[in-house]
PDB file of all heavy atoms in Angstrom:
ATOM      1  N   ILE A1181     -53.773 -70.586  79.305  1.00 93.00           N
ATOM      2  CA  ILE A1181     -52.759 -71.509  78.796  1.00 93.00           C
ATOM      3  C   ILE A1181     -53.088 -71.901  77.357  1.00 93.00           C
ATOM      4  O   ILE A1181     -52.225 -71.888  76.478  1.00 93.00           O
ATOM      5  CB  ILE A1181     -52.661 -72.756  79.700  1.00 93.00           C
ATOM      6  CG1 ILE A1181     -51.965 -72.410  80.997  1.00 93.00           C
ATOM      7  CG2 ILE A1181     -51.944 -73.902  78.997  1.00 93.00           C
ATOM      8  CD1 ILE A1181     -52.009 -73.509  82.040  1.00 93.00           C
ATOM      9  N   ILE A1182     -54.346 -72.226  77.115  1.00 94.00           N
ATOM     10  CA  ILE A1182     -54.760 -72.619  75.770  1.00 94.00           C
ATOM     11  C   ILE A1182     -54.593 -71.464  74.792  1.00 94.00           C
ATOM     12  O   ILE A1182     -54.047 -71.646  73.691  1.00 94.00           O
ATOM     13  CB  ILE A1182     -56.212 -73.143  75.802  1.00 94.00           C
ATOM     14  CG1 ILE A1182     -56.275 -74.466  76.565  1.00 94.00           C
ATOM     15  CG2 ILE A1182     -56.771 -73.310  74.392  1.00 94.00           C
ATOM     16  CD1 ILE A1182     -57.681 -74.920  76.914  1.00 94.00           C
ATOM     17  N   LEU A1183     -55.029 -70.265  75.186  1.00 95.00           N
ATOM     18  CA  LEU A1183     -54.916 -69.118  74.288  1.00 95.00           C
ATOM     19  C   LEU A1183     -53.465 -68.759  73.977  1.00 95.00           C
ATOM     20  O   LEU A1183     -53.121 -68.504  72.820  1.00 95.00           O
ATOM     21  CB  LEU A1183     -55.628 -67.911  74.897  1.00 95.00           C
ATOM     22  CG  LEU A1183     -57.142 -67.925  74.862  1.00 95.00           C
ATOM     23  CD1 LEU A1183     -57.701 -66.708  75.589  1.00 95.00           C
ATOM     24  CD2 LEU A1183     -57.655 -67.966  73.447  1.00 95.00           C
ATOM     25  N   SER A1184     -52.611 -68.735  74.979  1.00 95.00           N
ATOM     26  CA  SER A1184     -51.216 -68.366  74.730  1.00 95.00           C
ATOM     27  C   SER A1184     -50.495 -69.440  73.920  1.00 95.00           C
ATOM     28  O   SER A1184     -49.628 -69.125  73.106  1.00 95.00           O
ATOM     29  CB  SER A1184     -50.484 -68.079  76.036  1.00 95.00           C
ATOM     30  OG  SER A1184     -50.475 -69.201  76.876  1.00 95.00           O
ATOM     31  N   THR A1185     -50.876 -70.701  74.095  1.00 93.00           N
ATOM     32  CA  THR A1185     -50.285 -71.766  73.287  1.00 93.00           C
ATOM     33  C   THR A1185     -50.737 -71.649  71.830  1.00 93.00           C
ATOM     34  O   THR A1185     -49.931 -71.827  70.911  1.00 93.00           O
ATOM     35  CB  THR A1185     -50.654 -73.149  73.851  1.00 93.00           C
ATOM     36  OG1 THR A1185     -50.229 -73.216  75.215  1.00 93.00           O
ATOM     37  CG2 THR A1185     -49.985 -74.266  73.072  1.00 93.00           C
ATOM     38  N   ILE A1186     -52.000 -71.337  71.625  1.00 94.00           N
ATOM     39  CA  ILE A1186     -52.504 -71.148  70.255  1.00 94.00           C
ATOM     40  C   ILE A1186     -51.815 -69.951  69.596  1.00 94.00           C
ATOM     41  O   ILE A1186     -51.433 -70.015  68.419  1.00 94.00           O
ATOM     42  CB  ILE A1186     -54.035 -70.985  70.265  1.00 94.00           C
ATOM     43  CG1 ILE A1186     -54.694 -72.324  70.608  1.00 94.00           C
ATOM     44  CG2 ILE A1186     -54.543 -70.472  68.926  1.00 94.00           C
ATOM     45  CD1 ILE A1186     -56.188 -72.234  70.844  1.00 94.00           C
ATOM     46  N   ILE A1187     -51.639 -68.871  70.346  1.00 94.00           N
ATOM     47  CA  ILE A1187     -50.936 -67.698  69.812  1.00 94.00           C
ATOM     48  C   ILE A1187     -49.513 -68.075  69.410  1.00 94.00           C
ATOM     49  O   ILE A1187     -49.049 -67.737  68.319  1.00 94.00           O
ATOM     50  CB  ILE A1187     -50.943 -66.547  70.838  1.00 94.00           C
ATOM     51  CG1 ILE A1187     -52.350 -65.995  70.992  1.00 94.00           C
ATOM     52  CG2 ILE A1187     -49.971 -65.444  70.439  1.00 94.00           C
ATOM     53  CD1 ILE A1187     -52.517 -65.042  72.156  1.00 94.00           C
ATOM     54  N   GLY A1188     -48.813 -68.795  70.283  1.00 91.00           N
ATOM     55  CA  GLY A1188     -47.455 -69.230  69.964  1.00 91.00           C
ATOM     56  C   GLY A1188     -47.414 -70.180  68.784  1.00 91.00           C
ATOM     57  O   GLY A1188     -46.510 -70.110  67.940  1.00 91.00           O
ATOM     58  N   TYR A1189     -48.403 -71.058  68.689  1.00 91.00           N
ATOM     59  CA  TYR A1189     -48.491 -71.989  67.562  1.00 91.00           C
ATOM     60  C   TYR A1189     -48.646 -71.232  66.244  1.00 91.00           C
ATOM     61  O   TYR A1189     -47.939 -71.517  65.267  1.00 91.00           O
ATOM     62  CB  TYR A1189     -49.667 -72.945  67.778  1.00 91.00           C
ATOM     63  CG  TYR A1189     -49.985 -73.820  66.601  1.00 91.00           C
ATOM     64  CD1 TYR A1189     -49.233 -74.957  66.344  1.00 91.00           C
ATOM     65  CD2 TYR A1189     -51.030 -73.519  65.742  1.00 91.00           C
ATOM     66  CE1 TYR A1189     -49.519 -75.768  65.269  1.00 91.00           C
ATOM     67  CE2 TYR A1189     -51.322 -74.314  64.658  1.00 91.00           C
ATOM     68  CZ  TYR A1189     -50.565 -75.449  64.420  1.00 91.00           C
ATOM     69  OH  TYR A1189     -50.846 -76.235  63.339  1.00 91.00           O
ATOM     70  N   ILE A1190     -49.556 -70.273  66.226  1.00 92.00           N
ATOM     71  CA  ILE A1190     -49.804 -69.511  64.993  1.00 92.00           C
ATOM     72  C   ILE A1190     -48.578 -68.698  64.597  1.00 92.00           C
ATOM     73  O   ILE A1190     -48.170 -68.704  63.426  1.00 92.00           O
ATOM     74  CB  ILE A1190     -51.041 -68.608  65.171  1.00 92.00           C
ATOM     75  CG1 ILE A1190     -52.298 -69.473  65.267  1.00 92.00           C
ATOM     76  CG2 ILE A1190     -51.164 -67.610  64.028  1.00 92.00           C
ATOM     77  CD1 ILE A1190     -53.542 -68.708  65.676  1.00 92.00           C
ATOM     78  N   ILE A1191     -47.960 -68.034  65.555  1.00 92.00           N
ATOM     79  CA  ILE A1191     -46.774 -67.218  65.265  1.00 92.00           C
ATOM     80  C   ILE A1191     -45.618 -68.095  64.794  1.00 92.00           C
ATOM     81  O   ILE A1191     -44.935 -67.769  63.820  1.00 92.00           O
ATOM     82  CB  ILE A1191     -46.360 -66.386  66.502  1.00 92.00           C
ATOM     83  CG1 ILE A1191     -47.464 -65.425  66.915  1.00 92.00           C
ATOM     84  CG2 ILE A1191     -45.055 -65.661  66.264  1.00 92.00           C
ATOM     85  CD1 ILE A1191     -47.744 -64.319  65.946  1.00 92.00           C
ATOM     86  N   THR A1192     -45.396 -69.217  65.458  1.00 89.00           N
ATOM     87  CA  THR A1192     -44.311 -70.114  65.066  1.00 89.00           C
ATOM     88  C   THR A1192     -44.554 -70.694  63.678  1.00 89.00           C
ATOM     89  O   THR A1192     -43.641 -70.803  62.868  1.00 89.00           O
ATOM     90  CB  THR A1192     -44.154 -71.255  66.097  1.00 89.00           C
ATOM     91  OG1 THR A1192     -43.905 -70.689  67.378  1.00 89.00           O
ATOM     92  CG2 THR A1192     -43.008 -72.176  65.733  1.00 89.00           C
ATOM     93  N   LYS A1193     -45.786 -71.071  63.400  1.00 87.00           N
ATOM     94  CA  LYS A1193     -46.134 -71.662  62.107  1.00 87.00           C
ATOM     95  C   LYS A1193     -45.965 -70.640  60.976  1.00 87.00           C
ATOM     96  O   LYS A1193     -45.416 -70.974  59.929  1.00 87.00           O
ATOM     97  CB  LYS A1193     -47.581 -72.162  62.173  1.00 87.00           C
ATOM     98  CG  LYS A1193     -47.932 -73.132  61.122  1.00 87.00           C
ATOM     99  CD  LYS A1193     -47.587 -74.510  61.569  1.00 87.00           C
ATOM    100  CE  LYS A1193     -48.364 -75.499  60.723  1.00 87.00           C
ATOM    101  NZ  LYS A1193     -47.698 -76.743  60.607  1.00 87.00           N
ATOM    102  N   LYS A1194     -46.442 -69.418  61.184  1.00 89.00           N
ATOM    103  CA  LYS A1194     -46.378 -68.404  60.125  1.00 89.00           C
ATOM    104  C   LYS A1194     -44.979 -67.857  59.921  1.00 89.00           C
ATOM    105  O   LYS A1194     -44.539 -67.671  58.792  1.00 89.00           O
ATOM    106  CB  LYS A1194     -47.350 -67.270  60.415  1.00 89.00           C
ATOM    107  CG  LYS A1194     -48.786 -67.667  60.210  1.00 89.00           C
ATOM    108  CD  LYS A1194     -49.681 -66.463  60.194  1.00 89.00           C
ATOM    109  CE  LYS A1194     -51.099 -66.948  60.030  1.00 89.00           C
ATOM    110  NZ  LYS A1194     -51.806 -66.262  58.988  1.00 89.00           N
ATOM    111  N   SER A1195     -44.276 -67.573  61.020  1.00 87.00           N
ATOM    112  CA  SER A1195     -42.950 -66.953  60.894  1.00 87.00           C
ATOM    113  C   SER A1195     -41.839 -67.978  60.715  1.00 87.00           C
ATOM    114  O   SER A1195     -40.741 -67.613  60.300  1.00 87.00           O
ATOM    115  CB  SER A1195     -42.652 -66.097  62.121  1.00 87.00           C
ATOM    116  OG  SER A1195     -42.445 -66.903  63.264  1.00 87.00           O
ATOM    117  N   LYS A1196     -42.108 -69.227  61.056  1.00 85.00           N
ATOM    118  CA  LYS A1196     -41.098 -70.300  61.029  1.00 85.00           C
ATOM    119  C   LYS A1196     -39.875 -69.940  61.876  1.00 85.00           C
ATOM    120  O   LYS A1196     -38.763 -70.327  61.579  1.00 85.00           O
ATOM    121  CB  LYS A1196     -40.694 -70.620  59.592  1.00 85.00           C
ATOM    122  CG  LYS A1196     -41.810 -71.233  58.791  1.00 85.00           C
ATOM    123  CD  LYS A1196     -41.315 -71.674  57.441  1.00 85.00           C
ATOM    124  CE  LYS A1196     -42.346 -72.487  56.748  1.00 85.00           C
ATOM    125  NZ  LYS A1196     -43.232 -71.866  55.869  1.00 85.00           N
ATOM    126  N   ASP A1197     -40.135 -69.190  62.946  1.00 87.00           N
ATOM    127  CA  ASP A1197     -39.084 -68.775  63.871  1.00 87.00           C
ATOM    128  C   ASP A1197     -39.484 -69.219  65.278  1.00 87.00           C
ATOM    129  O   ASP A1197     -40.415 -68.671  65.865  1.00 87.00           O
ATOM    130  CB  ASP A1197     -38.905 -67.266  63.808  1.00 87.00           C
ATOM    131  CG  ASP A1197     -37.734 -66.787  64.654  1.00 87.00           C
ATOM    132  OD1 ASP A1197     -37.008 -67.620  65.234  1.00 87.00           O
ATOM    133  OD2 ASP A1197     -37.550 -65.556  64.736  1.00 87.00           O
ATOM    134  N   LEU A1198     -38.784 -70.213  65.788  1.00 89.00           N
ATOM    135  CA  LEU A1198     -39.105 -70.786  67.094  1.00 89.00           C
ATOM    136  C   LEU A1198     -38.963 -69.768  68.218  1.00 89.00           C
ATOM    137  O   LEU A1198     -39.821 -69.651  69.082  1.00 89.00           O
ATOM    138  CB  LEU A1198     -38.219 -72.003  67.363  1.00 89.00           C
ATOM    139  CG  LEU A1198     -38.328 -72.661  68.722  1.00 89.00           C
ATOM    140  CD1 LEU A1198     -39.724 -73.223  68.925  1.00 89.00           C
ATOM    141  CD2 LEU A1198     -37.285 -73.745  68.871  1.00 89.00           C
ATOM    142  N   GLY A1199     -37.890 -69.013  68.208  1.00 90.00           N
ATOM    143  CA  GLY A1199     -37.644 -68.043  69.272  1.00 90.00           C
ATOM    144  C   GLY A1199     -38.699 -66.954  69.329  1.00 90.00           C
ATOM    145  O   GLY A1199     -39.151 -66.566  70.410  1.00 90.00           O
ATOM    146  N   TYR A1200     -39.103 -66.459  68.166  1.00 92.00           N
ATOM    147  CA  TYR A1200     -40.110 -65.406  68.113  1.00 92.00           C
ATOM    148  C   TYR A1200     -41.462 -65.921  68.599  1.00 92.00           C
ATOM    149  O   TYR A1200     -42.138 -65.259  69.388  1.00 92.00           O
ATOM    150  CB  TYR A1200     -40.207 -64.859  66.684  1.00 92.00           C
ATOM    151  CG  TYR A1200     -41.152 -63.703  66.537  1.00 92.00           C
ATOM    152  CD1 TYR A1200     -40.928 -62.504  67.206  1.00 92.00           C
ATOM    153  CD2 TYR A1200     -42.268 -63.800  65.729  1.00 92.00           C
ATOM    154  CE1 TYR A1200     -41.792 -61.434  67.072  1.00 92.00           C
ATOM    155  CE2 TYR A1200     -43.144 -62.739  65.581  1.00 92.00           C
ATOM    156  CZ  TYR A1200     -42.894 -61.564  66.246  1.00 92.00           C
ATOM    157  OH  TYR A1200     -43.766 -60.511  66.115  1.00 92.00           O
ATOM    158  N   GLY A1201     -41.864 -67.102  68.131  1.00 90.00           N
ATOM    159  CA  GLY A1201     -43.132 -67.682  68.563  1.00 90.00           C
ATOM    160  C   GLY A1201     -43.148 -67.962  70.060  1.00 90.00           C
ATOM    161  O   GLY A1201     -44.146 -67.712  70.739  1.00 90.00           O
ATOM    162  N   PHE A1202     -42.018 -68.470  70.579  1.00 93.00           N
ATOM    163  CA  PHE A1202     -41.922 -68.743  72.012  1.00 93.00           C
ATOM    164  C   PHE A1202     -41.987 -67.451  72.807  1.00 93.00           C
ATOM    165  O   PHE A1202     -42.673 -67.372  73.835  1.00 93.00           O
ATOM    166  CB  PHE A1202     -40.630 -69.506  72.310  1.00 93.00           C
ATOM    167  CG  PHE A1202     -40.439 -69.830  73.759  1.00 93.00           C
ATOM    168  CD1 PHE A1202     -41.223 -70.789  74.373  1.00 93.00           C
ATOM    169  CD2 PHE A1202     -39.482 -69.170  74.509  1.00 93.00           C
ATOM    170  CE1 PHE A1202     -41.060 -71.083  75.725  1.00 93.00           C
ATOM    171  CE2 PHE A1202     -39.303 -69.468  75.847  1.00 93.00           C
ATOM    172  CZ  PHE A1202     -40.095 -70.422  76.456  1.00 93.00           C
ATOM    173  N   PHE A1203     -41.288 -66.420  72.340  1.00 95.00           N
ATOM    174  CA  PHE A1203     -41.276 -65.144  73.046  1.00 95.00           C
ATOM    175  C   PHE A1203     -42.666 -64.522  73.094  1.00 95.00           C
ATOM    176  O   PHE A1203     -43.113 -64.064  74.153  1.00 95.00           O
ATOM    177  CB  PHE A1203     -40.280 -64.172  72.385  1.00 95.00           C
ATOM    178  CG  PHE A1203     -40.288 -62.814  73.001  1.00 95.00           C
ATOM    179  CD1 PHE A1203     -39.722 -62.595  74.241  1.00 95.00           C
ATOM    180  CD2 PHE A1203     -40.882 -61.744  72.342  1.00 95.00           C
ATOM    181  CE1 PHE A1203     -39.742 -61.344  74.826  1.00 95.00           C
ATOM    182  CE2 PHE A1203     -40.904 -60.493  72.917  1.00 95.00           C
ATOM    183  CZ  PHE A1203     -40.329 -60.275  74.155  1.00 95.00           C
ATOM    184  N   ILE A1204     -43.359 -64.518  71.965  1.00 94.00           N
ATOM    185  CA  ILE A1204     -44.703 -63.947  71.920  1.00 94.00           C
ATOM    186  C   ILE A1204     -45.640 -64.732  72.839  1.00 94.00           C
ATOM    187  O   ILE A1204     -46.450 -64.157  73.570  1.00 94.00           O
ATOM    188  CB  ILE A1204     -45.236 -63.923  70.476  1.00 94.00           C
ATOM    189  CG1 ILE A1204     -44.411 -62.975  69.620  1.00 94.00           C
ATOM    190  CG2 ILE A1204     -46.717 -63.561  70.429  1.00 94.00           C
ATOM    191  CD1 ILE A1204     -44.470 -61.531  70.033  1.00 94.00           C
ATOM    192  N   SER A1205     -45.530 -66.046  72.811  1.00 94.00           N
ATOM    193  CA  SER A1205     -46.367 -66.873  73.670  1.00 94.00           C
ATOM    194  C   SER A1205     -46.035 -66.653  75.145  1.00 94.00           C
ATOM    195  O   SER A1205     -46.934 -66.625  75.993  1.00 94.00           O
ATOM    196  CB  SER A1205     -46.194 -68.344  73.299  1.00 94.00           C
ATOM    197  OG  SER A1205     -47.094 -69.135  73.987  1.00 94.00           O
ATOM    198  N   LEU A1206     -44.773 -66.485  75.445  1.00 94.00           N
ATOM    199  CA  LEU A1206     -44.345 -66.225  76.820  1.00 94.00           C
ATOM    200  C   LEU A1206     -44.870 -64.877  77.317  1.00 94.00           C
ATOM    201  O   LEU A1206     -45.357 -64.771  78.447  1.00 94.00           O
ATOM    202  CB  LEU A1206     -42.817 -66.268  76.896  1.00 94.00           C
ATOM    203  CG  LEU A1206     -42.175 -66.381  78.255  1.00 94.00           C
ATOM    204  CD1 LEU A1206     -42.558 -67.703  78.900  1.00 94.00           C
ATOM    205  CD2 LEU A1206     -40.676 -66.290  78.115  1.00 94.00           C
TER     206      LEU A1206
END
């Protein structure tokens, strides 16, 4: 849970795309 949340956080922060960060984290 912690790792996938961190991955989603980094992707969302860098890409500034909520859907992409959520999808990658999912």
Side-chain angles (χ1 to χ4, degrees):
I1181 286 171
I1182 292 168
L1183 285 176
S1184 60
T1185 303
I1186 289 172
I1187 291 169
Y1189 172 80
I1190 291 170
I1191 299 293
T1192 302
K1193 198 87 161 152
K1194 288 193 182 230
S1195 70
K1196 293 187 170 94
D1197 185 4
L1198 175 63
Y1200 184 63
F1202 180 71
F1203 176 74
I1204 294 296
S1205 187
L1206 195 64

